Amino acid sequence: MRAARELHDGDVVFVGIGLPNLACNLARATHAPNLVLIYESGAVGAKPERLPVSIGDPALVTDSLGVASMSEVFQWYLQGGRIQVGFLGGAQIDRFGNINSTVIGPYAHPKVRLPGSGGACEIAIHAKRVIVVAPLSARTFPKDVDFLTSPGQVNKYGTRRSLDLPGGGPVRIVTDVGILAPSLEDGELELVAIYPGVKAEDVKQKVGWPLRVRRDLVTVEPPSAEELHLLRDVLDPDHLYL
Amino acid sequence: MNKVMTMREAISRFVHDGDLVVIEGFTHLICFAAAHEIIRQKRRDLTLCRLTPDLIYDQLIAAGCARKLIFSWAGNPGLGSLHALRRAVERAEPAPLELEEYSHFGLVARMSAGAANLPFWPLRNYRGSDLPAVNPQIRTVECPYTGEALATVPALNPDVTIVHAQRADASGDTQIWGLYGVQKEAAFAAKRVIVVVEEIVEESVIRADPNRTVFPGFIVDAVVHEPWGAHPSYAQGYYDRDNEYYVAWDEQSRETERLERWFKEWVYGVADRAEYVKRLGSETVARLSAKPRISAGVNYGY
């Protein structure tokens, strides 16, 4: 719901599966009817009649604006600078918004082998803004990630500016207790908003580094009755994601 | 030229031990029928390449057909791990499996280079990522015009690419609608191409709608008619994705004993796809059959 509110009407959004998918469809049903949904599978301007189970669901094609090859999606839409918003998740997100979706532990002998990048690396590099959606916990938010799949604001290779990365990287980390955003000075994630009933102290316990709290910390408005109705009864009636 | 043959003949003639094999299709049109025939014919030491290995390569790996996997996202979408793949990587069961890992963009670019007969493909990617550090095939080149450092990936030229499609004529002129992923690039990059279709149509049907053609028959070696050959994946306008099968595979593939029974029932225990579809049963077929959503034609006249 918070992720949906981060989307502007008319944005061209690169949609992932799961919660991002739900957030985009909620935004489309409320304040952003002109949102253009692009899926890495090639569906452009999708208007799915059912909540897609995968990013290659046939319902993304029926009634869409167009179908592109994946080569066009990555070369022309994403690398071509046509995507305003990319959504990412990950097994680990560090204090600079770097994301790991490859391995837990060393690459050669991983403790857990995760699915890998998929389109995440290039989305993190090219989308104008990246919104990360993940539940907050110390395990998911360590100080450093085990593997840099998708670059955040700063890492051992440099800053986004020194690396000349075309997109803005992660600008909002939407979690289940509050929202983090990179500081303008050094790119480190800080707490910028919390949900009603959540204390900043509790949020600090849930990340693996000393979390800074922005001076103008805001409390987010709870979801409206209409938003809740849309989410629970219309967009996800089978409770695939909620 | 009539290239229509059975799946058995196509696999036996065009897929050899040790080959680099691509069976593409992004969620859509994944040719499980071809993979099952490869398993029945006991091909070994294959290098398998796909963006998303998916259940189809999990099955080939479990059956001991693979030596190496080239991929960019390895999971059961929405459900987690591919268990046979994990057993092969973590415990070398039933055989060790070498991994070569890209992102989607990187692998798409490899196929684009292969199709264009270029040695590599440049892309703005991988800066700030650890992927080049673990895959020495991802390199950089200095742009001769701007001096910019660009990432590069090498061309991929499969020995054989297998494409599932809605329809083709007997010489292999092939039409797809809905998502077509990297099917075109994978076919043009390959030395040999097998096309598997829901329907074989007259050449006049293809010629009546040429914009829907993804590649012409002259790059195709074999045409196989296998209705429902992509199940549990889907074919737009023919049948839906069998999401229940994907969910069931998570349990099905966790233990090797259960998996053995599954292979006996669904792969070794059926002679071909027609028998597989019979075993699938009329209820499943009815549940997944596509509802019509007919597109108006266009005027190709002049």
Side-chain angles (χ1 to χ4, degrees), chain A residues 50 54 56 58 62 67 70-71 74-75 79 107 113 115 117-119 122 125-126 148-149 151 155-157 163, chain B residues 26-27 72-74 101 103-105 108 121 124-130 178-181 185 234 236 240 293:
Chain A
R50 68 178 186 203
S54 80
T62 312
V67 177
M70 291 185 77
S71 157
F74 287 109
Q75 308 207 51
Q79 186 174 255
Y107 186 79
R113 172 68 237 198
S117 165
E122 41 268 14
I125 286 174
H126 288 282
L148 291 162
T149 312
N155 64 37
K156 65 184 179 192
Y157 298 107
L163 292 167
Chain B
F26 196 84
T27 318
S72 44
W73 193 89
E101 179 166 10
S103 64
H104 282 347
F105 191 9
V108 165
W121 198 267
R124 280 207 182 86
N125 210 8
Y126 300 124
R127 260 185 248 169
S129 166
D130 278 339
L179 303 175
Y180 54 107
E185 290 83 353
Y234 72 97
Q236 191 101 27
D240 198 356
R293 192 71 176 248

Side-chain angles (χ1 to χ4, degrees), chain B residues 9 23 40 42 57 76 93 124 129 135 138 158 177 179 184 221 232 244 252 295 298:
Chain B
E9 191 183 355
I23 308 178
R40 279 193 288 270
K42 299 194 162 48
Y57 281 4
N76 185 348
E93 282 177 21
R124 280 207 182 86
S129 166
N135 182 351
I138 301 173
W177 52 99
L179 303 175
K184 273 169 110 159
D221 295 280
E244 289 174 17
Q252 200 76 257
S295 161
V298 297

Side-chain angles (χ1 to χ4, degrees), chain B residues 192-208:
Chain B
R192 302 184 290 276
V193 176
I194 300 173
V195 172
V196 184
V197 290
E198 293 295 321
E199 283 187 78
I200 294 187
V201 296
E202 291 299 322
E203 188 180 315
S204 60
V205 174
I206 303 289
R207 287 188 182 275

